[in-house]
Amino acid sequence: MRAEVHQVADGTYLVHGNNVNWVILKDGDDLTLIDTGYPGDRPGILESLAAVGGSPEAVSAVLITHAHNDHLGSAEYLRSAYGTPVYLHPAEVPHARREFLHQATLGDVVRNVWRPGMLPWAAHVIKVGGMEHNPVTAPEPFPGEGALDLPGRPVPVHTPGHTDGHCVYHLPAAGIVISGDALVSGHAVSWTKGPQLLPGFFDHDRGRVVASLDLIAALDGDTLLPGHGPVHRGAVRAAAEQARDRATRKSRTSKAS
């Protein structure tokens, strides 16, 4: 599968890889790469950098929303091959080193095999390296607070729940929120289209995921670039509220049954 590069604003690109997205921010010749797909997405990563007129050498830093293999895939490759720093929230740094692992287990997948697309998705995950041991040897916490001195001037916002150190990235001047897995617009195992939470078995702490929607809703923006699904145009606050409503209805339905 070839990477699909979509320019969503000046210097901002959403890239669709293998059932997962990453984002490229460009300022002149310099780039920030936010997330890096699965390990098997490496050709797509390199292809997408070239498509925006860049290269691995032009990447000033890799920012990671959270350290699951479908977002961490090529981070260690870029760090070791090009010296690119890999930055995460401090709580996510040991996760990236694989001192522990907060992600869905094989048992979770088996219990959810009834979901549409689950078996093809699981087979795909194995094919593209989603189950590999894929640590970053020397991940680093964000260098400072507020807007990072990197292309795009992204602002990390801690949104725990999917993992303890999950972060979204806010681009205030552009009105864009890069939401990782805290708020998505689709997924291969979901019936739902539009703003939503991932199925609960993907989350480390579902309650904190729901609570983090308040933090996302407070961010000024009208464009959402999720870790899964297409770009969502519309008020970020409304998207967060829609995802909360959908999650609440599903929770009530589950309890009633």
Side-chain angles (χ1 to χ4, degrees), residues 70-202:
D70 56 334
H71 300 261
L72 200 67
S74 287
E76 174 62 16
Y77 165 74
L78 292 168
R79 191 203 66 79
S80 60
Y82 298 97
T84 312
V86 178
Y87 295 127
L88 311 90
H89 187 274
E92 201 70 2
V93 167
H95 194 194
R97 288 197 296 255
R98 290 296 180 258
E99 295 177 16
F100 54 83
L101 186 59
H102 288 165
Q103 70 177 32
T105 65
L106 178 59
D108 292 322
V109 172
V110 170
R111 285 188 291 273
N112 284 271
V113 74
W114 56 270
R115 292 180 179 274
M118 176 60 77
L119 288 178
W121 172 82
H124 171 79
V125 167
I126 294 170
K127 181 178 178 180
V128 295
M131 301 302 292
E132 294 177 1
H133 181 64
N134 187 47
V136 177
T137 303
E140 303 175 51
F142 299 127
E145 298 182 357
L148 300 176
D149 187 18
L150 294 170
R153 301 285 293 173
V155 180
V157 179
H158 187 206
T159 49
H162 186 63
T163 64
D164 285 347
H166 187 289
C167 277
V168 306
Y169 296 94
H170 188 205
L171 310 181
I176 292 173
V177 175
I178 301 161
S179 58
D181 284 5
L183 175 59
V184 301
S185 61
H187 192 274
V189 303
S190 172
W191 285 295
T192 306
K193 305 297 182 184
Q196 61 189 282
L197 299 181
L198 289 173
F201 73 93
F202 285 121

Side-chain angles (χ1 to χ4, degrees):
M1 175 180 174
R2 297 177 63 87
E4 298 178 12
V5 181
H6 301 273
Q7 184 169 6
V8 296
D10 289 344
T12 304
Y13 304 84
L14 178 66
V15 187
H16 299 303
N18 288 306
N19 288 336
V20 71
N21 302 331
W22 57 90
V23 174
I24 301 171
L25 306 179
K26 186 175 184 183
D27 185 357
D29 294 330
D30 299 321
L31 307 174
T32 301
L33 178 61
I34 301 180
D35 286 345
T36 64
Y38 285 98
D41 280 311
R42 185 175 304 167
I45 291 287
L46 300 177
E47 175 186 312
S48 65
L49 295 175
V52 305
S55 66
E57 293 88 346
V59 178
S60 299
V62 172
L63 303 179
I64 299 296
T65 58
H66 65 290
H68 286 163
N69 268 5
D70 56 334
H71 300 261
L72 200 67
S74 287
E76 174 62 16
Y77 165 74
L78 292 168
R79 191 203 66 79
S80 60
Y82 298 97
T84 312
V86 178
Y87 295 127
L88 311 90
H89 187 274
E92 201 70 2
V93 167
H95 194 194
R97 288 197 296 255
R98 290 296 180 258
E99 295 177 16
F100 54 83
L101 186 59
H102 288 165
Q103 70 177 32
T105 65
L106 178 59
D108 292 322
V109 172
V110 170
R111 285 188 291 273
N112 284 271
V113 74
W114 56 270
R115 292 180 179 274
M118 176 60 77
L119 288 178
W121 172 82
H124 171 79
V125 167
I126 294 170
K127 181 178 178 180
V128 295
M131 301 302 292
E132 294 177 1
H133 181 64
N134 187 47
V136 177
T137 303
E140 303 175 51
F142 299 127
E145 298 182 357
L148 300 176
D149 187 18
L150 294 170
R153 301 285 293 173
V155 180
V157 179
H158 187 206
T159 49
H162 186 63
T163 64
D164 285 347
H166 187 289
C167 277
V168 306
Y169 296 94
H170 188 205
L171 310 181
I176 292 173
V177 175
I178 301 161
S179 58
D181 284 5
L183 175 59
V184 301
S185 61
H187 192 274
V189 303
S190 172
W191 285 295
T192 306
K193 305 297 182 184
Q196 61 189 282
L197 299 181
L198 289 173
F201 73 93
F202 285 121
D203 295 326
H204 179 60
D205 186 332
R206 186 66 163 190
R208 295 182 81 190
V209 171
V210 174
S212 285
L213 289 173
D214 288 340
L215 303 173
I216 296 173
L219 301 176
D220 185 28
D222 57 11
T223 303
L224 188 75
L225 306 185
H228 302 273
V231 58
H232 177 78
R233 304 283 188 177
V236 170
R237 173 178 291 277
E241 291 173 351
Q242 183 177 357
R244 182 194 302 280
D245 289 344
R246 284 173 161 170
T248 300
R249 286 199 301 271
K250 286 182 180 179
S251 177
R252 288 173 178 167
T253 300
S254 176
K255 290 178 180 178
S257 62

